[in-house]
Amino acid sequence: MSWQPHITVATVVERDGTFLFVEEFKAGQHVFNQPAGHLEANETLAQAALRETLEETAWDVELTGVVGIYLYTAPSNGVTYQRICFAARPLRHHPDRALDSDIVRAVWLSRDELLAAPDRWRSELVPRCLDDYLAGPLHSLALLRD
């Protein structure tokens, strides 16, 4: 049996004390996640984060730092993910842009609103990345070597 982790990116986007989340329909329920997804061939981690954020939320963002690098094994299926979480600031919204097919909507939530609904987190990485962002420090994007 071969073990192969999945490399993913996520982005914490803050605006006026609220944070950009996606609402997805997974395993029969609506859940919240940061804009996130898998690294694709021939793309850098930063490019993947920008692409996923735009595809899932219709927001162009500017990456401002690295929140952290997380190793997570999903209890539901045993798959291991390495998540690189970025911080970003919103630049421009494209309200007429269609979102990825598995995204119900993009929504701005406060930390309290997110924490009030733990049954709606995609995984425990969702609040952890947010709290790590808020606690700091942010790491330089120069940490990444393409």
Side-chain angles (χ1 to χ4, degrees), residues 43-71:
E43 120 183 297
T44 68
L45 293 166
Q47 289 168 339
L50 294 171
R51 175 186 54 76
E52 287 289 353
T53 302
L54 179 61
E55 290 175 355
E56 293 189 351
T57 69
W59 276 91
D60 285 317
V61 299
E62 177 185 16
L63 301 179
T64 57
V66 176
V67 174
I69 301 171
Y70 304 82
L71 195 60

Side-chain angles (χ1 to χ4, degrees), residues 29-120:
Q29 72 174 25
H30 289 257
V31 295
F32 294 122
N33 196 7
Q34 279 91 14
H38 288 81
L39 178 69
E40 293 183 356
N42 302 312
E43 120 183 297
T44 68
L45 293 166
Q47 289 168 339
L50 294 171
R51 175 186 54 76
E52 287 289 353
T53 302
L54 179 61
E55 290 175 355
E56 293 189 351
T57 69
W59 276 91
D60 285 317
V61 299
E62 177 185 16
L63 301 179
T64 57
V66 176
V67 174
I69 301 171
Y70 304 82
L71 195 60
Y72 173 75
T73 301
S76 61
N77 61 13
V79 173
T80 299
Y81 298 89
Q82 182 172 24
R83 176 189 257 207
I84 297 84
C85 185
F86 292 89
R89 67 179 186 90
L91 296 177
R92 185 177 49 175
H93 186 231
H94 304 275
D96 297 328
R97 182 184 171 95
L99 304 181
D100 275 357
S101 60
D102 58 337
I103 303 298
V104 175
R105 66 182 174 134
V107 60
W108 293 91
L109 299 173
S110 69
R111 178 180 181 272
D112 289 343
E113 290 170 321
L114 177 71
L115 293 182
D119 56 321
R120 297 198 56 203

